[in-house]
Amino acid sequence: MKLVLKNGLVYDPLNQINGEKMDIIIKDGKIVEKTDKDSKTIDISGMIVMPGGVDIHAHIAGSEVNTGRLLRPEDHFKDVEVKSNITRSGVGRSIPSTFTTGYRYTRMGYTTVMNPSMPPLEARHTHEELNDIPIIDKGAYPLLGDWWFVLEYLKNGLVEDCAFHVAWMMAATKGYAIKLVNPGGPESWGFGRNVRDIDDTVPNFDITPREIIRGLCKVNKLLNLPHTIHLHTTNLGVPGNYRTTLKTMKCVEDLAYDKKPVMHITHVMFGAFKGKDWYTMSSGAEKISKYVNRHRHVTIDTAQVVFTDTTTMTADGPFQFGLYRLTGNKWVNHDVETETTGGIVPFRYKRKNYVHATQWSIGLELSLLIKSPWKVFLTTDHPNAAPFITYPRIIAWLMSKNAREKTMKKMNRLAVRKSLLPSIEREYSFYEIAIASRAGTAKALGLKQKGHLGIGADADIAVYNVNPKQVDPSKEYKSVIKAFKHAAYTIKNGEIVSQKGKIVKSNIGKTYWINVKFKSPPREITSDLKKKFKDYWTVEFDNYPVAENYLALSTPITVEAEI
Amino acid sequence: MGGVLDNTSTVCHGPSIISIHDVGISSCTLGQLRHRADLVIYWGSNPWDAHPRHLERYTNFTKGRFQDADWYGYVTRTNIHQTDKRLSRILKLTPGIKEEVLPKNESLPYKFFRKGRKMMVIDVRRTRSADMADYFLQVEPNKDYELIEAFRMLIKHEELEVNEVAGVPVEILEDIADALINCSLGVIFFGVGLTMSKGKHRNIDAAISLVRDLNQRTKFLIMPMRGHFNVTGSNTVSTWQTGYPFAVDFSQGYPRYNPGETSVVDILRRDETDAGLVIASDPVSNFPKEATSNLIKNPLIVIDPVETPTSVMADVVIPTTYVGIETEGTAYRMDHVPLPLKKVVNPPKGLPSDKEALEKILLEVRRMRKEMI
Ligand SMILES: [Zn+2]
């Protein structure tokens, strides 16, 4: 398909284009230089053009997400997606069914979403679900921070052997990045315990979270993976944990090189609590922001709370158990042999609750106090802090002090009094929104074809009907919400897939995964693996890897390792 | 089509699913138990007969990283049982000696107060699995709920003001409660003995809640012993596509779920269908009579590699290949671990797989309805 988007106001931060009136020309799924005579032209005067949204962290598929769906029929009853002759029916809300997930991201102008927590043993399940999420491109991060092989190799200082096995795992699970969740915690949880500090020892394995984090950070560099390690910190959701988060950021300072990030810390809001207990709990966002402003080796995403009913789910089994004890809500735990665990608890964030209101504040403080949007990205850790459909509201809070103040009026008084937000004047520009929601995330993920509109980029594009020359987002933030809720046009792979919130075409999205090529002919890396396989897992070696033909549209990214 | 999609959980583990909606579940993959479980309880389930390789692969008779196999204990116990049986036969044959009735529910063996793997069976009758266990607790029929609630009280250190519960003396229950608290990782496997006895999903609710309470004291997990080939897979796919695990009604243009109303047996009983499509299952042998007769009086299509009482009653039968023999595919193990199924031999020429047959039907339906999905 050939298409020209005419007269749009283009925000393309990776190419330093800030609201210029430009034409975007599309051919065969790519952005090209020259128009063909038979191109279809759409006039989008007065509208914003951005690269398609790139979500760096949203739980949209796999055993954990699906168990969340199973746990919560009441989440689906009131939010349904009726079938059309193009789309399949489904349900919402905080844990939407697969087809619905694809349509709803598409309507918001998002075209790439990374699924951050894939138990390797259940990777096949994750990919079967990703196949059923239409339109958007996807990838998944295998959970490797508690894998026995990683613990054993790193314990013995065998970083290269660890790297070979991690590379095998990326191919076997068709994974995209190394994910660590409270490293050492899930293994300890196997016997109902946890680690409380990055220098605690993991029972039975004689290794510390610090050693695991540093080890996998080195592995990440050896393998030359496009994304950094993707880390969920120790002590998540515990008052006083901002110290642990700072300690975690510091622990890889010396591993940084070329002024590039070497670590992505996800959903930092949950790791930015000051105080000794829930009564004295307060925001640690200022300290963390100060650190991130002074260093280049870390990127973060926020996990912005929105006051609503949602579902929490992480691979941090002990954290989820704590949340169950705190709330008394229903609780799912799912331990995965040799690798990881996971938990699910429904949760409602209430504006009148001091802790919840403070959490809301922390997310925005992080986004606003960290100066560079290339370092702090917009997420809700869907569905942990809120469902992804709330992004437009978050964009409004980022762009408008008025919007923030309006929410604070109805919030817990004490939380407002303690919040830094009333003193923060900063408001994001559309350019900065484009960084935090697409350019920055695509860059952090190392997705070279995404997050920009330069020649040769994938033609994944969002057109939003809001005119920055006429609308002042600070005052008219409701127009901003409306525009970002339903993109005027979403273009995926060069085709118009959604128009004013209506899906007009449903195509299949790609699944990215990492295929590592080694410099020296690779050692017989699987011999140790094969030997231990029967002892470690209850499935056969041959049945473990996910074959490429399991992926609806397999898109390997080949990287060359340093070894 | 706007029809209703259901699967076999509607007649077996449906109650366990409804319990998960109510209270959640603390569970795991089977390897976690192989490596770590030191207290394994089979409640209303008989793995030795229903899941023949379960014990040697996943629990008491396999070696894990932190737990040893308990073959030795098993051999000893089997010898004792054999001797007992022989003795009782001799006693029977010896005139003048009255057969002594073995006391029901003896006290807990000392083993349960030590480290190491233990196996307990709780059931209404002594099964083969019960013979293999370190301890068998016989519960009176339909008294499971009372027993579970008693354990819940005991582990919270509450006193029971009765002498026995469900036919079991309170002293024994207290000892078991101690064993539950003192294990390093315990697990309850429950079967249809619990899901289909009186109380149904209330039993499971209580069992899951017991496990949940136990997690305040130690690590405890629970898992349904599910049977039917890949019924877990049906639940799983149904859930990710529609939000609901079974009994999904599409007649309004979106998925609706209300077991008891949208479940297939209830719909058939109310005689609301006008046609049926049955894939690799046998409702005629398993459904109540009136449901079956309403199913077969309307057009009935069966897709199945084997002949069943249902396929015999069908108007159209589409024979298909065997998945895992003649066609590759995926099955979900009872702990939700997805496994690839391989093709071993070529199918007879022209025989489609169930997937191919359904895709062709779907294509034709969409063509007729002018849909573009
Ligand atoms: Zn997450």
Side-chain angles (χ1 to χ4, degrees):
Chain A
M1 189 166 176
K2 298 168 189 173
L3 202 61
V4 182
L5 299 174
K6 242 183 155 39
N7 300 326
L9 301 162
V10 176
Y11 291 87
D12 181 7
L14 280 166
N15 294 306
Q16 291 86 45
I17 295 167
N18 186 359
E20 281 170 45
K21 195 186 224 184
M22 278 172 74
D23 295 347
I24 302 287
I25 306 159
I26 298 157
K27 188 182 171 182
D28 301 331
K30 297 280 175 198
I31 293 176
V32 296
E33 217 166 352
K34 284 192 188 121
T35 322
D36 278 341
K37 270 182 230 144
D38 54 344
S39 292
K40 183 184 166 189
T41 301
I42 304 175
D43 185 26
I44 49 166
S45 302
M47 295 189 199
I48 281 179
V49 184
M50 286 186 187
V54 178
D55 197 332
I56 198 165
H57 189 114
H59 301 255
I60 54 169
S63 61
E64 175 189 46
V65 177
N66 210 37
T67 310
R69 293 184 189 109
L70 177 69
L71 179 68
R72 302 206 64 195
E74 77 280 6
D75 182 72
H76 317 319
F77 288 147
K78 285 181 195 152
D79 183 13
V80 298
E81 190 88 17
V82 180
K83 74 172 291 222
S84 73
N85 66 353
I86 291 162
T87 59
R88 293 182 61 170
S89 67
V91 295
R93 173 186 172 277
S94 68
I95 338 139
S97 54
T98 49
F99 307 117
T100 302
T101 301
Y103 306 145
R104 289 188 175 180
Y105 263 112
T106 302
R107 289 188 187 119
M108 294 196 307
Y110 269 72
T111 48
T112 304
V113 180
M114 288 289 165
N115 189 56
S117 138
M118 170 163 73
L121 180 62
E122 295 166 341
R124 195 178 306 277
H125 178 172
T126 305
H127 286 291
E128 290 201 310
E129 279 196 32
L130 289 178
N131 287 345
D132 270 352
I133 298 180
I135 308 174
I136 57 175
D137 289 345
K138 301 140 290 205
Y141 313 151
L143 292 153
L144 298 175
D146 285 75
W147 183 28
W148 286 357
F149 279 87
V150 164
L151 302 185
E152 286 163 353
Y153 282 125
L154 293 181
K155 165 71 207 146
N156 297 317
L158 301 169
V159 178
E160 284 197 10
D161 289 80
C162 186
F164 283 126
H165 283 79
V166 167
W168 178 86
M169 204 52 131
M170 285 295 160
T173 61
K174 300 290 175 281
Y176 189 82
I178 298 173
K179 175 75 184 293
L180 299 93
V181 169
N182 177 15
E187 167 51 41
S188 313
W189 182 239
F191 284 121
R193 287 185 288 242
N194 196 3
V195 286
R196 296 288 177 203
D197 186 89
I198 63 168
D199 293 314
D200 268 6
T201 306
V202 183
N204 302 313
F205 285 84
D206 194 25
I207 188 170
T208 63
R210 179 192 295 272
E211 291 167 316
I212 303 170
I213 296 165
R214 287 180 59 83
L216 284 174
C217 196
K218 290 175 193 166
V219 164
N220 206 83
K221 180 165 188 282
L222 283 179
L223 296 179
N224 208 3
L225 300 180
H227 187 31
T228 58
I229 55 168
H230 194 103
L231 177 77
H232 157 139
T233 46
T234 311
N235 276 334
L236 203 86
V238 177
N241 62 8
Y242 81 99
R243 284 173 207 278
T244 316
T245 305
L246 285 174
K247 214 170 162 182
T248 307
M249 291 176 172
K250 277 184 196 140
C251 97
V252 293
E253 252 176 41
D254 61 312
L255 300 178
Y257 59 99
D258 295 349
K259 298 177 179 170
K260 284 198 304 196
V262 292
M263 171 189 266
H264 179 82
I265 300 198
T266 187
H267 46 65
V268 171
M269 177 276 291
F270 289 113
F273 299 173
K274 260 191 194 169
K276 288 196 180 72
D277 51 38
W278 292 115
Y279 299 101
T280 56
M281 179 265 195
S282 65
S283 166
E286 201 177 6
K287 297 258 178 174
I288 288 178
S289 305
K290 209 177 256 173
Y291 183 88
V292 174
N293 281 333
R294 285 189 191 147
H295 294 85
R296 297 186 207 242
H297 69 283
V298 187
T299 57
I300 70 162
D301 65 82
T302 51
Q304 180 58 48
V305 162
V306 179
F307 300 111
T308 185
D309 180 56
T310 192
T311 311
T312 65
M313 52 177 70
T314 71
D316 195 341
F319 161 72
Q320 295 290 155
F321 179 65
L323 204 57
Y324 148 66
R325 293 222 288 191
L326 198 66
T327 60
N329 288 347
K330 48 191 180 179
W331 165 57
V332 166
N333 175 76
H334 182 66
D335 294 352
V336 179
E337 62 204 62
T338 317
E339 297 172 352
T340 182
T341 178
I344 308 165
V345 178
F347 200 87
R348 179 182 280 279
Y349 292 98
K350 303 184 190 106
R351 48 181 106 234
K352 295 290 180 197
N353 178 301
Y354 169 73
V355 171
H356 303 172
T358 303
Q359 285 181 283
W360 173 84
S361 185
I362 292 173
L364 289 171
E365 287 166 19
L366 289 166
S367 291
L368 296 164
L369 292 175
I370 295 173
K371 288 178 191 131
S372 166
W374 295 101
K375 288 181 178 175
V376 53
F377 310 130
L378 191 171
T379 67
T380 57
D381 185 16
H382 164 83
N384 282 295
F388 67 81
I389 43 173
T390 58
Y391 286 178
R393 275 152 77 187
I394 298 170
I395 289 172
W397 284 325
L398 293 173
M399 296 190 82
S400 163
K401 193 172 187 211
N402 286 319
R404 302 197 285 266
E405 273 167 357
K406 192 166 172 237
T407 304
M408 280 191 278
K409 268 184 197 151
K410 287 187 255 165
M411 238 166 59
N412 179 287
R413 288 284 177 80
L414 183 61
V416 175
R417 226 184 314 136
K418 286 198 181 182
S419 170
L420 293 173
L421 287 179
S423 68
I424 301 175
E425 299 300 323
R426 184 175 167 201
E427 292 175 333
Y428 272 48
S429 62
F430 284 111
Y431 189 74
E432 288 174 312
I433 291 292
I435 298 169
S437 61
R438 44 210 81 205
T441 42
K443 191 181 169 202
L445 287 165
L447 283 169
K448 298 214 165 65
Q449 311 295 311
K450 306 284 184 197
H452 71 104
L453 300 172
I455 306 303
D458 285 353
D460 297 353
I461 302 165
V463 179
Y464 297 113
N465 190 5
V466 55
N467 189 340
K469 290 183 179 151
Q470 289 167 3
V471 171
D472 174 5
S474 177
K475 294 199 185 79
E476 296 159 77
Y477 58 87
K478 281 187 180 154
S479 314
V480 174
I481 295 177
K482 208 175 144 214
F484 279 93
K485 196 174 169 193
H486 289 153
Y489 295 94
T490 304
I491 292 160
K492 175 72 207 337
N493 205 25
E495 293 184 282
I496 300 172
V497 284
S498 143
Q499 217 171 319
K500 289 186 196 159
K502 192 167 180 273
I503 302 293
V504 293
K505 186 169 172 58
S506 180
N507 50 19
I508 304 171
K510 302 184 190 89
T511 303
Y512 290 106
W513 59 279
I514 302 299
N515 183 21
V516 180
K517 288 267 172 290
F518 290 103
K519 265 189 187 149
S520 49
R523 257 177 261 173
E524 182 49 73
I525 53 167
T526 53
S527 66
D528 194 26
L529 196 64
K530 268 185 183 159
K531 212 163 55 199
K532 290 185 179 155
F533 217 89
K534 278 214 157 85
D535 291 339
Y536 280 19
W537 282 285
T538 53
V539 303
E540 301 289 324
F541 178 76
D542 292 336
N543 285 342
Y544 193 90
V546 180
E548 202 175 349
N549 65 10
Y550 253 93
L551 277 51
L553 199 55
S554 168
T555 311
I557 293 180
T558 301
V559 297
E560 296 195 5
E562 286 179 14
I563 45 172
Chain B
M1 300 290 296
V4 174
L5 184 67
D6 206 344
N7 56 54
T8 53
S9 16
T10 202
V11 287
C12 59
H13 265 284
S16 347
I17 290 171
I18 294 182
S19 287
I20 295 174
H21 300 331
D22 289 347
V23 285
I25 191 167
S26 170
S27 197
C28 60
T29 66
L30 288 160
Q32 183 78 342
L33 305 172
R34 181 185 138 197
H35 290 303
R36 296 177 205 258
D38 60 348
L39 178 59
V40 182
I41 300 171
Y42 294 95
W43 197 316
S45 77
N46 179 7
W48 187 255
D49 292 328
H51 296 76
R53 305 205 54 195
H54 173 90
L55 283 159
E56 59 173 282
R57 273 193 184 166
Y58 307 125
T59 60
N60 296 67
F61 301 155
T62 173
K63 186 175 154 40
R65 185 173 190 131
F66 307 110
Q67 301 293 343
D68 274 329
D70 189 29
W71 276 110
Y72 174 76
Y74 162 63
V75 173
T76 321
R77 285 192 300 280
T78 321
N79 285 342
I80 293 171
H81 281 299
Q82 294 292 341
T83 318
D84 278 357
K85 273 186 194 159
R86 241 174 274 147
L87 263 175
S88 74
R89 230 177 302 149
I90 295 167
L91 289 175
K92 257 187 212 163
L93 296 171
T94 319
I97 298 180
K98 260 197 177 168
E99 193 186 338
E100 240 180 296
V101 184
L102 277 173
K104 221 170 76 175
N105 290 328
E106 302 164 69
S107 54
L108 209 59
Y110 181 61
K111 190 178 179 185
F112 278 83
F113 303 98
R114 283 177 308 180
K115 283 200 179 310
R117 269 197 165 138
K118 279 90 57 175
M119 172 177 169
M120 188 189 300
V121 167
I122 303 177
D123 214 327
V124 291
R125 66 183 166 276
R126 189 175 265 278
T127 57
R128 282 285 298 280
S129 305
D131 278 343
M132 320 192 58
D134 296 295
Y135 184 69
F136 169 56
L137 183 72
Q138 190 159 13
V139 52
E140 286 173 1
N142 292 324
K143 290 282 177 64
D144 299 285
Y145 185 81
E146 284 81 348
L147 190 61
I148 299 167
E149 288 299 322
F151 283 137
R152 287 188 72 188
M153 288 178 73
L154 287 171
I155 62 163
K156 289 177 192 157
H157 297 305
E158 289 172 35
E159 295 276 324
L160 294 180
E161 283 161 6
V162 286
N163 293 328
E164 57 167 58
V165 176
V168 189
V170 165
E171 297 73 52
I172 293 180
L173 295 182
E174 286 169 349
D175 281 352
I176 296 176
D178 282 341
L180 294 175
I181 291 168
N182 291 323
C183 67
S184 3
L185 189 154
V187 60
I188 295 173
F189 285 102
F190 63 93
V192 282
L194 197 58
T195 56
M196 286 300 161
S197 81
K198 191 183 154 210
K200 287 192 172 179
H201 83 90
R202 276 180 59 237
N203 291 344
I204 315 299
D205 276 13
I208 293 174
S209 302
L210 168 64
V211 167
R212 215 164 66 159
D213 297 349
L214 279 164
N215 275 287
Q216 313 275 4
R217 313 293 299 273
T218 182
K219 179 81 187 223
F220 232 96
L221 303 161
I222 182 166
M223 195 185 289
M225 281 294 251
R226 308 187 15 142
H228 296 97
F229 171 74
N230 203 21
V231 59
T232 310
S234 301
N235 295 150
T236 304
V237 178
S238 177
T239 306
W240 85 54
Q241 293 201 341
T242 72
Y244 308 117
F246 67 104
V248 188
D249 175 359
F250 293 95
S251 61
Q252 313 282 314
Y254 58 85
R256 272 182 68 242
Y257 173 68
N258 186 17
E261 180 208 337
T262 59
S263 30
V264 65
V265 173
D266 302 278
I267 288 169
L268 286 171
R269 271 202 180 130
R270 296 194 306 266
D271 197 12
E272 289 175 353
T273 62
D274 49 15
L277 172 63
V278 174
I279 306 155
S281 56
D282 185 16
V284 167
S285 316
N286 291 297
F287 281 7
K289 210 173 154 202
E290 48 176 327
T292 307
S293 58
N294 285 336
L295 175 71
I296 57 180
K297 80 175 184 200
N298 292 315
L300 177 63
I301 307 161
V302 169
I303 299 180
D304 207 318
V306 287
E307 196 179 271
T308 64
T310 308
S311 72
V312 173
M313 307 302 287
D315 301 283
V316 179
V317 178
I318 304 174
T320 52
T321 55
Y322 284 95
V323 178
I325 301 172
E326 296 163 336
T327 311
E328 54 180 35
T330 311
Y332 282 73
R333 206 163 71 179
M334 72 178 201
D335 58 350
H336 289 252
V337 172
L339 296 169
L341 300 173
K342 291 190 191 97
K343 174 178 162 175
V344 191
V345 294
N346 279 326
K349 218 177 163 197
L351 201 63
S353 69
D354 47 6
K355 183 165 173 265
E356 285 161 351
L358 285 164
E359 275 170 352
K360 278 184 186 159
I361 296 172
L362 180 64
L363 205 68
E364 197 57 23
V365 169
R366 282 184 180 162
R367 193 184 60 77
M368 286 158 66
R369 295 168 66 97
K370 298 193 172 59
E371 284 172 356
M372 307 189 292
I373 298 172

